[in-house]
Amino acid sequence: MAPSDMAQNDNNFRVGIDVGGTFTDFVLFDPSGRQAPIFHKEPSTPADPAQAVGNGLARLIAEQALPPSAIAAIQHGTTIGLNAIIQRRGARVGLIVSEGFRDILEIGRARMPSSFDFHATRETPLIPRENVLEIGARFDRDGAITRWPDAAEIERVAADLAALDVDAAVLMLINGYLQPEQETELAAALARHGSTISVLSAAQTWPEIREYERTMAAVLNAYIQPLMDRYFARLTELIGELGIDAPLLVTTSNGGSMSLATALARPIDTVLSGPASGVVAAIRLGNEADVSRLVTFDMGGTSSDIAVSQARAPEMVTRTEIGGMPLVVPVVGVSAIGAGGGSKVWVDELGVLKVGPESAGADPGPIAYGRGGTEPTVTDCYLTLGVLDAEVFAGGTMTLDTRDVSQALEAVAARLAMSGEDAGVRAAAGALEIATAQMAAELRKGLAQRGLDPADFTLVPFGGAGPTHANWLAAEAGLPRVMVPLQPGTFCALGAATADLRRDFVRSLRVTLDDEAAGEITNRWATMIDEARDWLADQGFESADGDDVQLLPALDMRYAGQAYELNVAFAADRLAELDAATLREAFHREHELHYGFRDEGFRDEGFGNDEGRDQPTPIEVSTIRLAVVGRLVDATSPSRFAGEGVTPRTHRRLFLHGEWHEAAIYARAELGANDRFAGPAIVEQDDTTVVILPGWHARVDALGNLHLAADADESFADEEPRA
């Protein structure tokens, strides 16, 4: 449904869902902006994850007195596929490869995880070698068939496949990315002879050069497909029982969403949808608050992740890793930078204080939770320093254990040869300083690798612990401002509710750039654009105007001889104007931005010639890319009431910078637009706690966002909140 259609429909609420290990988060979102988003957290049910979604939807509808017909769409993010890959509990998959390439998963890229670690071991392949079959079929580098199986060989391989104990199979032919249709036809022929076993074409899943990575994309897709089928079948049943007749969309790793049917066919596109949804929500928030350059900071129980956004768009990467295995489909670039709230605090054999990487997880969790944890964690350090209120934690739903926490941290202090009345407190403060320094080093390194200055960015924290640690991280890393969303604990669910339709298309094309190659690239783009528009139509998307559809073309390019490519983006409305010279200059600029130089050519003096000639450096194009976005939500958030000057609810002692402070305690629900106050202070809400350090101050904007800035930032004090 296009935005213009929604505007005419009173029953246009969208529900965003993010399934987590401890809680399943919900957001009831009104795209018209007439009603503020409604947030809800439901305890997860790990044995049957769909049940928590059904329970939460039922409770959300009942509490808001909404008829089921008021729900226009459900947009769902899930980590089921990701967890299945990491925990190795997916389907049994077979693999059929071109003759002579049976060890493609065993060899991989022939690289160890750590080149200088004598004890390092490579990741065990998802498919054991005995489940890998060979077939006499392959293409040459130009896509021409060099070998093809006859009917007897197809029947023999299909019989061998049927004899394996597998649920599904993948077919990968050498250079098959050049002929995805023919590889798909062979996969269908094998499936017809292989009884009930489905055979998936690797080239149809992701037609990009590099056999190992393309194979892994298809194998991972087949590995999680049965699990996703069962989950969404159960979920669809529960939604139907509630009387909801709304389309179910699934959020994707590229920050978009797709129909349930597409997600079931391509579950590999959904595995990193949770982190991506949070980044999407942060960008929407930044657009409304007029913040165009931001770093998201998602701090959960086990780890902390960041993502960089410039020009109001997420940074995309075309290669990442899951459980030690490559994933080459485009995803929002999210990087792990350090510890989470459950990361353990410990002292090594040399007497050095360490934080992480081991985590207490959700069970037993930090000592403060009283569930049997015995080793102190980052959350326990927050409690000891006075950041958390033991009596009203999580909106008063949980009381924290302070006595056992104090004893555990005093034991840490003793191992550090620290003594005195506040030894445990100082040990906790030291642990947080170490965790912060580690995170800041990774954040600064990530920005420096992109040629970016931290001073140009605003930190947007979410997750349970993100807002708690954000001010420490911003101060250490040199980010001058922090913007805390209204409900950071359910932020990924908000991102799911506001995600647009998005799909990435790819075609590999190994050519050296010249006028003929430029024409071929333009023709390929035209074909891909037609595919993209057909895909949107298959999703049920009807564009109200041209602005509802966005096309994002790009090329993977490199100087001849380089091992890896750079992704160079182009404007969709200027594709017809792109000749070889324009493409070449675009790559030179991108290379100079990343590496500080361009290689435009050399002087060929010739052999015995009187005059030399200028020769341009050859540039190779390896992959053509196109992303299509269909805008579903033209969202605006309602303004909050104007503040009348806020007063602290109470005060308590807070240990910061080596000494105790008397910190003002504010309730987030009582803050109004343009309210301002200075640190040291704490803002409490049901899903998180926000720390404002001494030397920093806070302001609430018209949308309810909490902005933090150092006192030295004079422009901050003069800003008016944006309506």
Side-chain angles (χ1 to χ4, degrees):
M1 184 180 294
S4 61
D5 299 326
M6 292 178 181
Q8 300 170 9
N9 183 4
D10 292 333
N11 298 334
N12 65 346
F13 290 97
R14 309 182 76 84
V15 178
I17 303 171
D18 181 53
V19 179
T22 305
F23 289 99
T24 297
D25 299 334
F26 297 80
V27 171
L28 184 67
F29 184 78
D30 179 6
S32 70
R34 293 191 295 266
Q35 178 174 321
I38 305 297
F39 301 89
H40 174 69
K41 296 181 82 70
E42 184 76 19
S44 293
T45 51
D48 182 8
Q51 187 61 56
V53 177
N55 295 342
L57 281 172
R59 188 167 286 111
L60 195 61
I61 291 173
E63 290 178 353
Q64 301 304 315
L66 282 177
S69 60
I71 307 299
I74 297 173
Q75 296 185 230
H76 184 294
T78 178
T79 58
I80 289 176
L82 176 63
N83 293 339
I85 294 170
I86 293 174
Q87 298 169 15
R88 297 297 185 98
R89 55 179 182 85
R92 295 163 305 204
V93 181
L95 177 62
I96 305 168
V97 298
S98 295
E99 202 167 67
F101 290 85
R102 188 180 180 192
D103 294 312
I104 186 168
L105 297 184
E106 301 284 339
I107 296 173
R109 283 289 161 198
R111 296 186 185 129
M112 294 299 288
S114 177
S115 301
F116 302 102
D117 184 355
F118 291 146
H119 303 287
T121 58
R122 63 178 178 80
E123 199 70 31
T124 303
L126 279 181
I127 301 177
R129 193 173 187 272
E130 57 267 24
N131 285 352
V132 182
L133 306 175
E134 295 183 346
I135 191 168
R138 65 174 297 171
F139 306 94
D140 65 15
R141 69 186 308 275
D142 298 318
I145 294 174
T146 58
R147 284 197 62 187
W148 202 252
D150 56 21
E153 184 174 5
I154 291 175
E155 288 188 14
R156 176 187 61 78
V157 174
D160 291 343
L161 177 63
L164 298 176
D165 184 23
V166 297
D167 304 307
V170 169
L171 172 67
M172 192 289 297
L173 303 181
I174 295 302
N175 295 318
Y177 67 92
L178 293 169
Q179 296 289 354
E181 292 80 10
Q182 285 187 277
E183 185 179 284
T184 301
E185 289 177 8
L186 180 56
L190 289 164
R192 284 195 299 271
H193 291 85
S195 183
T196 59
I197 299 175
S198 63
V199 181
L200 178 70
S201 161
Q204 192 69 25
T205 303
W206 195 248
E208 186 176 357
I209 192 172
R210 293 192 172 95
E211 270 66 25
Y212 171 59
E213 287 80 2
R214 184 172 74 253
T215 304
M216 282 307 311
V219 167
L220 290 172
N221 196 75
Y223 188 69
I224 63 176
Q225 203 164 34
L227 188 67
M228 298 286 278
D229 285 347
R230 291 193 296 271
Y231 171 76
F232 280 110
R234 167 77 168 140
L235 181 60
T236 302
E237 177 185 348
L238 292 173
I239 291 173
E241 291 175 358
L242 294 173
I244 299 174
D245 185 23
L248 176 60
L249 304 177
V250 182
T251 58
T252 52
S253 307
N254 59 17
S257 62
M258 57 177 54
S259 69
L260 176 59
T262 306
L264 293 178
R266 299 181 56 85
I268 191 62
D269 290 333
T270 71
V271 291
L272 296 174
S273 62
S277 294
V279 177
V280 169
I283 293 171
R284 188 185 71 84
L285 189 71
N287 291 342
E288 292 181 333
D290 201 22
V291 178
S292 60
R293 310 185 85 189
L294 52 89
V295 175
T296 65
F297 174 50
D298 182 3
M299 185 171 178
T302 302
S303 64
S304 300
D305 300 325
I306 64 162
V308 178
S309 170
Q310 301 185 77
R312 308 184 190 279
E315 180 185 74
M316 305 295 293
V317 297
T318 55
R319 182 188 174 98
T320 187
E321 285 197 354
I322 300 176
M325 292 167 288
L327 180 65
V328 293
V329 299
V331 302
V332 173
V334 177
S335 305
I337 64 165
S343 296
K344 294 180 179 180
V345 176
W346 55 289
V347 180
D348 69 9
E349 63 274 8
L350 299 178
V352 177
L353 183 62
K354 299 289 184 71
V355 180
E358 189 177 352
S359 173
D363 187 16
I367 298 173
Y369 288 3
R371 297 173 181 165
T374 58
E375 298 176 83
T377 66
V378 168
T379 296
D380 296 316
C381 294
Y382 293 149
L383 179 63
T384 299
L385 299 186
V387 171
L388 304 179
D389 186 339
E391 302 300 323
V392 294
F393 183 70
T397 61
M398 181 186 293
T399 301
L400 301 181
D401 179 356
T402 58
R403 182 179 60 84
D404 288 347
V405 169
S406 297
Q407 291 178 352
L409 285 169
E410 286 169 3
V412 170
R415 291 195 290 274
L416 296 170
M418 299 170 64
S419 60
E421 182 180 355
D422 288 332
V425 175
R426 286 185 281 119
L432 291 187
E433 289 178 7
I434 290 170
T436 304
Q438 292 171 342
M439 294 179 190
E442 291 298 317
L443 194 159
R444 285 196 298 264
K445 181 176 73 174
L447 291 176
Q449 289 172 338
R450 299 168 172 87
L452 303 175
D453 185 353
D456 296 333
F457 287 82
T458 296
L459 191 68
V460 181
F462 50 92
T468 307
H469 211 96
N471 204 168
W472 276 301
L473 177 59
E476 181 73 17
L479 278 74
R481 302 189 185 188
V482 178
M483 180 171 64
V484 184
L486 192 59
Q487 294 283 346
T490 52
F491 205 58
C492 289
L494 179 62
T498 57
D500 294 321
L501 291 173
R502 175 167 176 149
R503 171 82 186 275
D504 289 274
F505 296 83
V506 63
R507 290 290 183 275
S508 284
L509 177 70
R510 294 185 296 181
V511 294
T512 299
L513 189 58
D514 56 21
D515 289 333
E516 182 180 352
E520 186 175 358
I521 291 168
T522 302
N523 292 336
R524 292 285 185 98
W525 258 327
T527 301
M528 294 168 71
I529 288 172
D530 290 340
E531 292 180 31
R533 294 190 183 279
D534 289 343
W535 179 80
L536 280 180
D538 290 341
Q539 304 300 297
F541 180 84
E542 297 179 4
S543 177
D545 55 64
D547 293 337
D548 294 341
V549 177
Q550 185 180 17
L551 297 169
L552 304 170
L555 296 175
D556 287 356
M557 309 173 72
R558 66 183 181 185
Y559 291 123
Q562 288 184 314
Y564 292 96
E565 298 84 7
L566 283 176
N567 183 263
V568 185
F570 297 91
D573 58 355
R574 299 189 60 189
L575 294 185
E577 306 170 16
L578 296 179
D579 55 14
T582 306
L583 294 173
R584 186 177 290 112
E585 175 58 25
F587 174 72
H588 287 319
R589 287 198 305 268
E590 194 72 20
H591 196 278
E592 189 172 25
L593 176 66
H594 279 78
Y595 300 113
F597 73 96
R598 58 168 62 199
D599 185 4
E600 295 191 23
F602 59 94
R603 184 78 172 173
D604 182 4
E605 300 297 344
F607 295 94
N609 297 329
D610 294 334
E611 296 183 1
R613 290 183 298 172
D614 290 329
Q615 298 289 344
T617 299
I619 295 174
E620 297 175 345
V621 178
S622 63
T623 305
I624 304 175
R625 300 183 185 275
L626 178 74
V628 60
V629 179
R631 190 158 52 91
L632 293 177
V633 178
D634 190 6
T636 54
S637 297
S639 298
R640 287 169 58 85
F641 58 89
E644 299 178 354
V646 66
T647 57
R649 171 178 288 184
T650 184
H651 292 77
R652 70 168 174 264
R653 297 175 73 213
L654 181 63
F655 192 85
L656 297 169
H657 304 323
E659 60 182 353
W660 288 102
H661 296 261
E662 193 71 13
I665 311 300
Y666 298 90
R668 185 74 182 266
E670 297 173 1
L671 300 180
N674 214 29
D675 281 338
R676 302 167 187 261
F677 51 91
I682 290 175
V683 177
E684 295 178 335
Q685 57 189 97
D686 290 350
D687 57 349
T688 193
T689 299
V690 185
V691 175
I692 299 93
L693 298 176
W696 287 65
H697 52 277
R699 169 182 60 82
V700 182
D701 69 16
L703 303 175
N705 302 308
L706 185 63
H707 296 257
L708 315 182
D711 291 343
D713 186 356
E714 297 179 359
S715 65
F716 179 86
D718 296 333
E719 285 184 4
E720 291 299 325
R722 175 174 170 157

